[in-house]
Amino acid sequence: MPRTFALTLLLVALVAGTARAADKPNIVVILADDLGYTDIGVQGGKDIPTPHIDSIAKGGIRFSRGYVSAPYCSPTRAGLMTGRYQERFGHEFNEGKGRLPFGLPLTETTLAQRMKALGYATAVVGKWHLGPDPDWRPMKRGFDEFYGTLSNTPFRQPQLVDSRIGPDPKKVEDPNYYTTVAYADRAVDIIDKNKDRPFFLYLPFNACHVPDQALDEKLARFKSIKDEKRRLYAGMMSSLDDAVGRVLGKLRAEKLEEKTLIVFLSDNGGPMTRMGPNGSQNGFLRGQKGDTWDGGIHVPFFMKWKGHLPAGKTFPHPVIQLDILPTAIAAAGGEVAADWKLDGVNLLPHLMGKDQKAPHERLYWRFGSQWAVMEGNWKLVQAYDDNADQKGLATGEVKVEPAQLFDLKADRGEKKDLSAKRADKVKALEAAWKAWNADLPEPAWLPQAKKT
């Protein structure tokens, strides 16, 4: 082959490769921590302005039935990172004692690894909570860069990992440091450094998890809120909204809005009276963080891709955070292989009107002695007694209600149990859940009750 012809072919291939890379959208996943269902403006919130978070829903799609696969921090993250029910690999709880070390099992492939294989730059900024030991840290799980904490953290002076400096956490000595602001700073910098290539940015804030710590200038905005815990929560929420606004503003300034698929959601419902109450409100939903009632698993969930997805649309069918991975892969031009054994589905055909069916026939939950199954508008759930206190929740040593059946279309607050009237539906849903549960291993570790 003549040398000039070979060089021409190489040049054409390089140009084609560059064009294909330019066509790949950026993926930005913003995960809030312990948000109440009705604390965001578009979710009905009145006392805490959230214009930037609202803009994702208003400029994109609000999932009116958006769910997560666990009512708890780490398991939800494990499901998000893998697109699989986390119970399939034993990741049912937060830290505990058991047959495996705590962390996302090394046998699982993460969303970052899959995006990296598609030519993406990858970064995580925020709370990891998928394993503190070196082999479980983000840098070993497909992320080029990590700036954040390995687990739950205070907003001020945390033990922080900055992979640009090294792999180990160091205490931040600056008394003015505030995680939410710093995470926005780094996220904006990462976008700037990767604006000419496709990137996947995972942004799991620790806001609004306890400890309740807000900036003074934010607290001054909410003097009218008399309840101190709610006022602190409002301050944290306001900083979170500002941080989201800075990320959105950077994408807009770099003309990346039409090249970026943005997802916003919370890891679970708000913890109102237990599991670290933070001043959040779940409104009409029954239950809270730690429950398989909807208050624990039904979360604010929005998706925006300007020019590609409809704007201002409400999607009525149940979706779950497991869907983020296959949706991102499809948006990037990749294909999901059968041997990935995903539970999530690609939402793009459903959101673009190409597939009118509901994405899922059923959704399932297992959290210790609690469980649930959802089929259309029907939900069969066994969950904690509404009056359960903090003691014993970690180990399941509390009373659970007998399984109850609800029509969520008519009864979103799970108030009217229909199990006596629809024994046939109870039997069918319970059989479906038992068949799903039969394939699951025991939890890899169990939480240990905290000393009082």
Side-chain angles (χ1 to χ4, degrees):
M1 182 183 295
R3 179 180 176 84
T4 54
F5 183 64
L7 289 173
T8 300
L9 287 179
L10 178 60
L11 181 60
V12 169
L14 288 172
V15 170
T18 302
R20 285 194 296 272
D23 290 339
K24 293 177 183 289
N26 308 308
I27 309 293
V28 176
V29 177
I30 304 171
L31 184 68
D33 201 328
D34 286 8
L35 250 57
Y37 186 76
T38 55
D39 286 327
I40 297 171
V42 293
Q43 297 287 106
K46 303 297 184 184
D47 57 346
I48 310 172
T50 55
H52 302 299
I53 297 173
D54 292 347
S55 74
I56 301 174
K58 291 178 179 178
I61 294 171
R62 183 176 76 88
F63 297 108
S64 60
R65 300 188 66 190
Y67 286 86
V68 287
S69 58
Y72 216 36
C73 300
S74 185
T76 288
R77 287 162 168 75
L80 192 159
M81 277 291 107
T82 60
R84 288 160 42 81
Y85 283 112
Q86 64 281 350
E87 296 93 347
R88 294 199 187 281
F89 44 88
H91 203 122
E92 194 161 336
F93 299 104
N94 283 359
E95 299 90 331
K97 185 176 181 180
R99 56 186 170 85
L100 293 176
F102 170 72
L104 180 65
L106 302 180
T107 51
E108 294 298 313
T109 304
T110 70
L111 175 53
Q113 289 168 313
R114 301 208 185 277
M115 298 306 291
K116 199 170 178 63
L118 292 171
Y120 277 68
T122 57
V124 54
V125 178
K127 170 183 163 181
W128 176 238
H129 208 184
L130 288 173
D133 295 338
D135 286 344
W136 280 261
R137 293 177 189 172
M139 299 82 81
K140 296 290 185 71
R141 309 308 300 268
F143 287 99
D144 299 322
E145 184 170 345
F146 172 42
Y147 181 84
T149 63
L150 294 170
S151 190
N152 290 319
T153 181
F155 290 77
R156 299 185 182 278
Q157 297 181 290
Q159 293 285 337
L160 186 85
V161 176
D162 184 349
S163 64
R164 294 180 182 179
I165 298 173
D168 298 319
K170 305 289 184 184
K171 184 177 180 179
V172 176
E173 299 295 343
D174 181 0
N176 296 315
Y177 184 93
Y178 191 75
T179 53
T180 311
V181 175
Y183 292 165
D185 290 342
R186 181 56 64 92
V188 166
D189 182 69
I190 287 170
I191 293 171
D192 187 67
K193 284 181 165 54
N194 293 283
K195 59 190 175 186
D196 296 323
R197 60 175 296 190
F199 61 83
F200 165 49
L201 172 60
Y202 174 43
L203 190 52
F205 287 96
N206 63 308
C208 298
H209 198 287
V210 294
D212 291 355
Q213 295 174 329
L215 296 171
D216 289 342
E217 60 265 31
K218 295 300 181 184
L219 290 175
R221 293 185 59 191
F222 299 101
K223 290 181 179 179
S224 61
I225 299 178
K226 302 305 179 185
D227 180 81
E228 182 181 3
K229 186 167 282 291
R230 181 65 178 174
R231 186 165 62 253
L232 283 164
Y233 179 84
M236 295 188 293
M237 190 79 187
S238 184
S239 289
L240 173 63
D241 188 69
D242 283 353
V244 171
R246 290 188 59 204
V247 171
L248 299 180
K250 180 62 175 177
L251 293 171
R252 187 163 50 250
E254 300 297 342
K255 296 181 171 52
L256 294 175
E257 285 186 293
E258 295 189 3
K259 297 180 179 179
T260 305
L261 173 64
I262 303 166
V263 183
F264 177 93
L265 72 163
S266 178
D267 62 347
N268 45 249
M272 298 182 297
T273 62
R274 44 183 166 80
M275 292 282 180
N278 63 350
S280 57
Q281 297 177 357
N282 291 325
F284 57 86
L285 296 183
R286 182 176 182 178
Q288 57 189 299
K289 176 181 178 179
D291 295 345
T292 50
W293 303 117
D294 261 25
I297 56 178
H298 190 6
V299 298
F301 198 154
F302 318 132
M303 185 179 292
K304 178 182 178 182
W305 187 5
K306 186 176 179 179
H308 299 268
L309 294 179
K313 179 180 178 180
T314 298
F315 189 75
H317 300 297
V319 301
I320 197 164
Q321 101 282 11
L322 310 178
D323 300 330
I324 293 172
L325 186 150
T327 302
I329 295 296
E335 293 186 6
V336 171
D339 62 3
W340 295 6
K341 298 181 179 179
L342 299 188
D343 295 298
V345 301
N346 170 23
L347 295 177
L348 295 180
H350 301 274
L351 304 181
M352 293 176 174
K354 297 176 182 178
D355 190 337
Q356 300 297 325
K357 299 190 301 295
H360 296 274
E361 181 181 6
R362 298 184 193 92
L363 295 176
Y364 301 94
W365 290 266
R366 189 182 80 181
F367 190 63
S369 57
Q370 299 185 89
W371 57 270
V373 55
M374 181 182 296
E375 181 182 89
N377 293 320
W378 291 105
K379 181 183 176 186
L380 184 67
V381 53
Q382 178 172 292
Y384 287 140
D385 184 311
D386 290 329
N387 298 315
D389 60 20
Q390 181 69 39
K391 185 178 179 181
L393 284 176
T395 55
E397 296 172 358
V398 293
K399 179 183 176 182
V400 292
E401 297 282 353
Q404 298 180 45
L405 179 70
F406 300 98
D407 176 358
L408 295 180
K409 184 176 181 179
D411 179 20
R412 295 185 68 191
E414 297 173 288
K415 298 183 185 305
K416 188 176 181 181
D417 177 17
L418 300 176
S419 58
K421 293 183 178 180
R422 292 298 308 270
D424 59 327
K425 182 59 69 174
V426 171
K427 183 178 180 181
L429 289 177
E430 187 171 23
W433 184 85
K434 286 182 176 178
W436 172 78
N437 186 60
D439 292 331
L440 304 181
E442 291 297 312
W445 53 84
L446 293 172
Q448 295 172 289
K450 295 181 181 179
K451 295 180 180 180
T452 57

mmCIF file of all heavy atoms in Angstrom, residues 328-363:
data_model
loop_
_atom_site.group_PDB
_atom_site.id
_atom_site.type_symbol
_atom_site.label_atom_id
_atom_site.label_comp_id
_atom_site.label_asym_id
_atom_site.label_seq_id
_atom_site.Cartn_x
_atom_site.Cartn_y
_atom_site.Cartn_z
ATOM 1 N N ALA A 328 -27.605 5.774 30.118
ATOM 2 C CA ALA A 328 -26.347 6.458 29.787
ATOM 3 C C ALA A 328 -25.581 5.717 28.705
ATOM 4 O O ALA A 328 -25.029 6.337 27.778
ATOM 5 C CB ALA A 328 -25.491 6.600 31.041
ATOM 6 N N ILE A 329 -25.544 4.403 28.789
ATOM 7 C CA ILE A 329 -24.849 3.603 27.776
ATOM 8 C C ILE A 329 -25.487 3.817 26.400
ATOM 9 O O ILE A 329 -24.793 4.020 25.394
ATOM 10 C CB ILE A 329 -24.885 2.104 28.150
ATOM 11 C CG1 ILE A 329 -24.093 1.850 29.442
ATOM 12 C CG2 ILE A 329 -24.341 1.250 27.002
ATOM 13 C CD1 ILE A 329 -22.625 2.143 29.354
ATOM 14 N N ALA A 330 -26.810 3.807 26.351
ATOM 15 C CA ALA A 330 -27.505 4.007 25.080
ATOM 16 C C ALA A 330 -27.258 5.405 24.531
ATOM 17 O O ALA A 330 -27.022 5.577 23.328
ATOM 18 C CB ALA A 330 -28.999 3.758 25.263
ATOM 19 N N ALA A 331 -27.301 6.413 25.401
ATOM 20 C CA ALA A 331 -27.052 7.789 24.959
ATOM 21 C C ALA A 331 -25.651 7.926 24.379
ATOM 22 O O ALA A 331 -25.430 8.684 23.422
ATOM 23 C CB ALA A 331 -27.239 8.753 26.129
ATOM 24 N N ALA A 332 -24.698 7.174 24.929
ATOM 25 C CA ALA A 332 -23.304 7.228 24.482
ATOM 26 C C ALA A 332 -23.047 6.388 23.232
ATOM 27 O O ALA A 332 -21.914 6.343 22.735
ATOM 28 C CB ALA A 332 -22.389 6.765 25.613
ATOM 29 N N GLY A 333 -24.080 5.737 22.735
ATOM 30 C CA GLY A 333 -23.910 4.936 21.529
ATOM 31 C C GLY A 333 -23.445 3.525 21.788
ATOM 32 O O GLY A 333 -23.110 2.793 20.848
ATOM 33 N N GLY A 334 -23.412 3.113 23.058
ATOM 34 C CA GLY A 334 -23.001 1.762 23.392
ATOM 35 C C GLY A 334 -24.168 0.797 23.408
ATOM 36 O O GLY A 334 -25.327 1.188 23.246
ATOM 37 N N GLU A 335 -23.865 -0.473 23.598
ATOM 38 C CA GLU A 335 -24.895 -1.501 23.677
ATOM 39 C C GLU A 335 -24.725 -2.297 24.953
ATOM 40 O O GLU A 335 -23.606 -2.626 25.363
ATOM 41 C CB GLU A 335 -24.807 -2.437 22.468
ATOM 42 C CG GLU A 335 -25.155 -1.763 21.142
ATOM 43 C CD GLU A 335 -25.206 -2.754 19.996
ATOM 44 O OE1 GLU A 335 -25.090 -3.970 20.257
ATOM 45 O OE2 GLU A 335 -25.348 -2.308 18.841
ATOM 46 N N VAL A 336 -25.837 -2.601 25.590
ATOM 47 C CA VAL A 336 -25.842 -3.421 26.801
ATOM 48 C C VAL A 336 -25.770 -4.887 26.410
ATOM 49 O O VAL A 336 -26.560 -5.350 25.579
ATOM 50 C CB VAL A 336 -27.107 -3.139 27.636
ATOM 51 C CG1 VAL A 336 -27.227 -4.148 28.778
ATOM 52 C CG2 VAL A 336 -27.088 -1.714 28.185
ATOM 53 N N ALA A 337 -24.824 -5.605 26.991
ATOM 54 C CA ALA A 337 -24.685 -7.035 26.707
ATOM 55 C C ALA A 337 -25.533 -7.847 27.685
ATOM 56 O O ALA A 337 -25.729 -7.453 28.834
ATOM 57 C CB ALA A 337 -23.219 -7.448 26.815
ATOM 58 N N ALA A 338 -26.027 -8.978 27.214
ATOM 59 C CA ALA A 338 -26.877 -9.828 28.058
ATOM 60 C C ALA A 338 -26.143 -10.299 29.305
ATOM 61 O O ALA A 338 -26.754 -10.441 30.373
ATOM 62 C CB ALA A 338 -27.376 -11.021 27.245
ATOM 63 N N ASP A 339 -24.818 -10.532 29.174
ATOM 64 C CA ASP A 339 -24.089 -11.056 30.332
ATOM 65 C C ASP A 339 -23.835 -10.002 31.409
ATOM 66 O O ASP A 339 -23.283 -10.311 32.461
ATOM 67 C CB ASP A 339 -22.777 -11.721 29.908
ATOM 68 C CG ASP A 339 -21.798 -10.767 29.239
ATOM 69 O OD1 ASP A 339 -22.101 -9.548 29.147
ATOM 70 O OD2 ASP A 339 -20.733 -11.242 28.805
ATOM 71 N N TRP A 340 -24.237 -8.750 31.158
ATOM 72 C CA TRP A 340 -24.188 -7.747 32.229
ATOM 73 C C TRP A 340 -25.273 -8.013 33.270
ATOM 74 O O TRP A 340 -25.169 -7.565 34.388
ATOM 75 C CB TRP A 340 -24.376 -6.341 31.657
ATOM 76 C CG TRP A 340 -23.296 -5.869 30.759
ATOM 77 C CD1 TRP A 340 -22.217 -6.581 30.304
ATOM 78 C CD2 TRP A 340 -23.185 -4.567 30.168
ATOM 79 N NE1 TRP A 340 -21.449 -5.815 29.470
ATOM 80 C CE2 TRP A 340 -22.018 -4.564 29.363
ATOM 81 C CE3 TRP A 340 -23.957 -3.413 30.224
ATOM 82 C CZ2 TRP A 340 -21.600 -3.449 28.644
ATOM 83 C CZ3 TRP A 340 -23.565 -2.304 29.501
ATOM 84 C CH2 TRP A 340 -22.389 -2.317 28.720
ATOM 85 N N LYS A 341 -26.325 -8.697 32.866
ATOM 86 C CA LYS A 341 -27.431 -9.080 33.758
ATOM 87 C C LYS A 341 -28.008 -7.865 34.496
ATOM 88 O O LYS A 341 -28.157 -7.865 35.709
ATOM 89 C CB LYS A 341 -26.968 -10.149 34.755
ATOM 90 C CG LYS A 341 -26.529 -11.434 34.075
ATOM 91 C CD LYS A 341 -26.091 -12.497 35.077
ATOM 92 C CE LYS A 341 -25.677 -13.776 34.360
ATOM 93 N NZ LYS A 341 -25.210 -14.823 35.311
ATOM 94 N N LEU A 342 -28.335 -6.846 33.714
ATOM 95 C CA LEU A 342 -28.878 -5.623 34.297
ATOM 96 C C LEU A 342 -30.344 -5.796 34.675
ATOM 97 O O LEU A 342 -31.084 -6.551 34.058
ATOM 98 C CB LEU A 342 -28.750 -4.466 33.312
ATOM 99 C CG LEU A 342 -27.349 -4.057 32.857
ATOM 100 C CD1 LEU A 342 -27.417 -2.771 32.042
ATOM 101 C CD2 LEU A 342 -26.404 -3.882 34.039
ATOM 102 N N ASP A 343 -30.756 -5.033 35.684
ATOM 103 C CA ASP A 343 -32.166 -4.938 36.055
ATOM 104 C C ASP A 343 -32.769 -3.618 35.567
ATOM 105 O O ASP A 343 -33.979 -3.516 35.405
ATOM 106 C CB ASP A 343 -32.318 -5.044 37.572
ATOM 107 C CG ASP A 343 -31.902 -6.407 38.091
ATOM 108 O OD1 ASP A 343 -32.536 -7.399 37.695
ATOM 109 O OD2 ASP A 343 -30.942 -6.482 38.887
ATOM 110 N N GLY A 344 -31.912 -2.622 35.356
ATOM 111 C CA GLY A 344 -32.379 -1.359 34.812
ATOM 112 C C GLY A 344 -32.614 -1.471 33.317
ATOM 113 O O GLY A 344 -32.139 -2.402 32.651
ATOM 114 N N VAL A 345 -33.356 -0.502 32.774
ATOM 115 C CA VAL A 345 -33.653 -0.497 31.341
ATOM 116 C C VAL A 345 -33.311 0.871 30.752
ATOM 117 O O VAL A 345 -33.264 1.876 31.465
ATOM 118 C CB VAL A 345 -35.137 -0.819 31.069
ATOM 119 C CG1 VAL A 345 -35.511 -2.171 31.638
ATOM 120 C CG2 VAL A 345 -36.056 0.264 31.640
ATOM 121 N N ASN A 346 -33.083 0.892 29.457
ATOM 122 C CA ASN A 346 -32.849 2.134 28.736
ATOM 123 C C ASN A 346 -34.165 2.908 28.644
ATOM 124 O O ASN A 346 -35.126 2.452 28.024
ATOM 125 C CB ASN A 346 -32.297 1.819 27.346
ATOM 126 C CG ASN A 346 -32.243 3.033 26.436
ATOM 127 O OD1 ASN A 346 -32.211 4.171 26.902
ATOM 128 N ND2 ASN A 346 -32.218 2.787 25.140
ATOM 129 N N LEU A 347 -34.205 4.093 29.234
ATOM 130 C CA LEU A 347 -35.437 4.879 29.263
ATOM 131 C C LEU A 347 -35.649 5.716 28.002
ATOM 132 O O LEU A 347 -36.759 6.221 27.780
ATOM 133 C CB LEU A 347 -35.431 5.812 30.476
ATOM 134 C CG LEU A 347 -35.454 5.149 31.854
ATOM 135 C CD1 LEU A 347 -35.366 6.213 32.943
ATOM 136 C CD2 LEU A 347 -36.705 4.299 32.036
ATOM 137 N N LEU A 348 -34.621 5.906 27.180
ATOM 138 C CA LEU A 348 -34.718 6.850 26.071
ATOM 139 C C LEU A 348 -35.888 6.566 25.127
ATOM 140 O O LEU A 348 -36.623 7.502 24.758
ATOM 141 C CB LEU A 348 -33.397 6.911 25.298
ATOM 142 C CG LEU A 348 -32.204 7.478 26.088
ATOM 143 C CD1 LEU A 348 -30.952 7.485 25.210
ATOM 144 C CD2 LEU A 348 -32.498 8.886 26.603
ATOM 145 N N PRO A 349 -36.131 5.325 24.686
ATOM 146 C CA PRO A 349 -37.284 5.095 23.797
ATOM 147 C C PRO A 349 -38.612 5.481 24.444
ATOM 148 O O PRO A 349 -39.513 5.977 23.767
ATOM 149 C CB PRO A 349 -37.216 3.595 23.509
ATOM 150 C CG PRO A 349 -35.811 3.202 23.786
ATOM 151 C CD PRO A 349 -35.359 4.084 24.904
ATOM 152 N N HIS A 350 -38.728 5.265 25.751
ATOM 153 C CA HIS A 350 -39.960 5.599 26.467
ATOM 154 C C HIS A 350 -40.123 7.109 26.590
ATOM 155 O O HIS A 350 -41.230 7.642 26.458
ATOM 156 C CB HIS A 350 -39.939 4.958 27.853
ATOM 157 C CG HIS A 350 -39.803 3.470 27.830
ATOM 158 N ND1 HIS A 350 -40.874 2.618 27.703
ATOM 159 C CD2 HIS A 350 -38.698 2.675 27.905
ATOM 160 C CE1 HIS A 350 -40.452 1.366 27.698
ATOM 161 N NE2 HIS A 350 -39.131 1.374 27.824
ATOM 162 N N LEU A 351 -39.018 7.795 26.828
ATOM 163 C CA LEU A 351 -39.080 9.239 27.023
ATOM 164 C C LEU A 351 -39.258 9.981 25.714
ATOM 165 O O LEU A 351 -39.814 11.086 25.674
ATOM 166 C CB LEU A 351 -37.806 9.727 27.725
ATOM 167 C CG LEU A 351 -37.492 9.057 29.065
ATOM 168 C CD1 LEU A 351 -36.221 9.651 29.664
ATOM 169 C CD2 LEU A 351 -38.656 9.200 30.041
ATOM 170 N N MET A 352 -38.794 9.393 24.621
ATOM 171 C CA MET A 352 -38.909 10.026 23.309
ATOM 172 C C MET A 352 -40.192 9.641 22.580
ATOM 173 O O MET A 352 -40.413 10.048 21.446
ATOM 174 C CB MET A 352 -37.689 9.650 22.456
ATOM 175 C CG MET A 352 -36.389 10.230 22.969
ATOM 176 S SD MET A 352 -34.971 9.652 21.988
ATOM 177 C CE MET A 352 -33.632 10.627 22.703
ATOM 178 N N GLY A 353 -41.027 8.842 23.225
ATOM 179 C CA GLY A 353 -42.304 8.469 22.636
ATOM 180 C C GLY A 353 -42.244 7.323 21.653
ATOM 181 O O GLY A 353 -43.240 7.007 20.993
ATOM 182 N N LYS A 354 -41.095 6.668 21.558
ATOM 183 C CA LYS A 354 -40.963 5.551 20.619
ATOM 184 C C LYS A 354 -41.523 4.240 21.193
ATOM 185 O O LYS A 354 -41.801 3.302 20.458
ATOM 186 C CB LYS A 354 -39.496 5.361 20.229
ATOM 187 C CG LYS A 354 -38.904 6.568 19.502
ATOM 188 C CD LYS A 354 -37.425 6.368 19.222
ATOM 189 C CE LYS A 354 -36.834 7.586 18.533
ATOM 190 N NZ LYS A 354 -35.376 7.446 18.283
ATOM 191 N N ASP A 355 -41.624 4.179 22.515
ATOM 192 C CA ASP A 355 -42.168 2.999 23.189
ATOM 193 C C ASP A 355 -43.173 3.494 24.223
ATOM 194 O O ASP A 355 -42.807 4.159 25.190
ATOM 195 C CB ASP A 355 -41.037 2.209 23.867
ATOM 196 C CG ASP A 355 -41.499 0.848 24.384
ATOM 197 O OD1 ASP A 355 -42.719 0.689 24.631
ATOM 198 O OD2 ASP A 355 -40.650 -0.039 24.565
ATOM 199 N N GLN A 356 -44.434 3.187 24.020
ATOM 200 C CA GLN A 356 -45.500 3.694 24.885
ATOM 201 C C GLN A 356 -45.722 2.828 26.119
ATOM 202 O O GLN A 356 -46.461 3.222 27.022
ATOM 203 C CB GLN A 356 -46.819 3.783 24.088
ATOM 204 C CG GLN A 356 -46.746 4.712 22.889
ATOM 205 C CD GLN A 356 -46.479 6.155 23.272
ATOM 206 O OE1 GLN A 356 -46.946 6.637 24.300
ATOM 207 N NE2 GLN A 356 -45.713 6.856 22.439
ATOM 208 N N LYS A 357 -45.094 1.671 26.166
ATOM 209 C CA LYS A 357 -45.289 0.778 27.315
ATOM 210 C C LYS A 357 -44.531 1.306 28.538
ATOM 211 O O LYS A 357 -43.560 2.056 28.422
ATOM 212 C CB LYS A 357 -44.797 -0.637 26.977
ATOM 213 C CG LYS A 357 -45.516 -1.301 25.812
ATOM 214 C CD LYS A 357 -45.152 -2.764 25.714
ATOM 215 C CE LYS A 357 -43.663 -2.999 25.533
ATOM 216 N NZ LYS A 357 -43.163 -2.472 24.249
ATOM 217 N N ALA A 358 -44.964 0.857 29.713
ATOM 218 C CA ALA A 358 -44.222 1.161 30.930
ATOM 219 C C ALA A 358 -42.865 0.471 30.869
ATOM 220 O O ALA A 358 -42.758 -0.669 30.370
ATOM 221 C CB ALA A 358 -44.997 0.686 32.153
ATOM 222 N N PRO A 359 -41.797 1.118 31.350
ATOM 223 C CA PRO A 359 -40.468 0.508 31.270
ATOM 224 C C PRO A 359 -40.337 -0.794 32.058
ATOM 225 O O PRO A 359 -39.561 -1.668 31.670
ATOM 226 C CB PRO A 359 -39.549 1.592 31.858
ATOM 227 C CG PRO A 359 -40.310 2.869 31.695
ATOM 228 C CD PRO A 359 -41.750 2.505 31.848
ATOM 229 N N HIS A 360 -41.079 -0.914 33.159
ATOM 230 C CA HIS A 360 -40.931 -2.083 34.028
ATOM 231 C C HIS A 360 -42.281 -2.756 34.253
ATOM 232 O O HIS A 360 -43.290 -2.074 34.498
ATOM 233 C CB HIS A 360 -40.367 -1.680 35.397
ATOM 234 C CG HIS A 360 -38.986 -1.109 35.340
ATOM 235 N ND1 HIS A 360 -37.854 -1.885 35.360
ATOM 236 C CD2 HIS A 360 -38.566 0.176 35.259
ATOM 237 C CE1 HIS A 360 -36.781 -1.108 35.301
ATOM 238 N NE2 HIS A 360 -37.191 0.152 35.236
ATOM 239 N N GLU A 361 -42.285 -4.078 34.218
ATOM 240 C CA GLU A 361 -43.486 -4.817 34.602
ATOM 241 C C GLU A 361 -43.673 -4.743 36.109
ATOM 242 O O GLU A 361 -44.777 -4.507 36.604
ATOM 243 C CB GLU A 361 -43.390 -6.271 34.149
ATOM 244 C CG GLU A 361 -44.621 -7.089 34.498
ATOM 245 C CD GLU A 361 -44.520 -8.544 34.060
ATOM 246 O OE1 GLU A 361 -43.439 -8.960 33.588
ATOM 247 O OE2 GLU A 361 -45.526 -9.269 34.199
ATOM 248 N N ARG A 362 -42.561 -4.930 36.831
ATOM 249 C CA ARG A 362 -42.602 -4.853 38.297
ATOM 250 C C ARG A 362 -41.288 -4.270 38.809
ATOM 251 O O ARG A 362 -40.247 -4.378 38.156
ATOM 252 C CB ARG A 362 -42.789 -6.232 38.938
ATOM 253 C CG ARG A 362 -44.078 -6.924 38.586
ATOM 254 C CD ARG A 362 -44.225 -8.236 39.354
ATOM 255 N NE ARG A 362 -45.307 -9.045 38.778
ATOM 256 C CZ ARG A 362 -45.137 -9.959 37.834
ATOM 257 N NH1 ARG A 362 -43.909 -10.219 37.372
ATOM 258 N NH2 ARG A 362 -46.164 -10.638 37.359
ATOM 259 N N LEU A 363 -41.342 -3.689 39.998
ATOM 260 C CA LEU A 363 -40.159 -3.286 40.742
ATOM 261 C C LEU A 363 -40.191 -3.979 42.101
ATOM 262 O O LEU A 363 -41.272 -4.225 42.653
ATOM 263 C CB LEU A 363 -40.113 -1.766 40.925
ATOM 264 C CG LEU A 363 -39.958 -0.931 39.655
ATOM 265 C CD1 LEU A 363 -40.019 0.563 39.988
ATOM 266 C CD2 LEU A 363 -38.663 -1.253 38.928
#
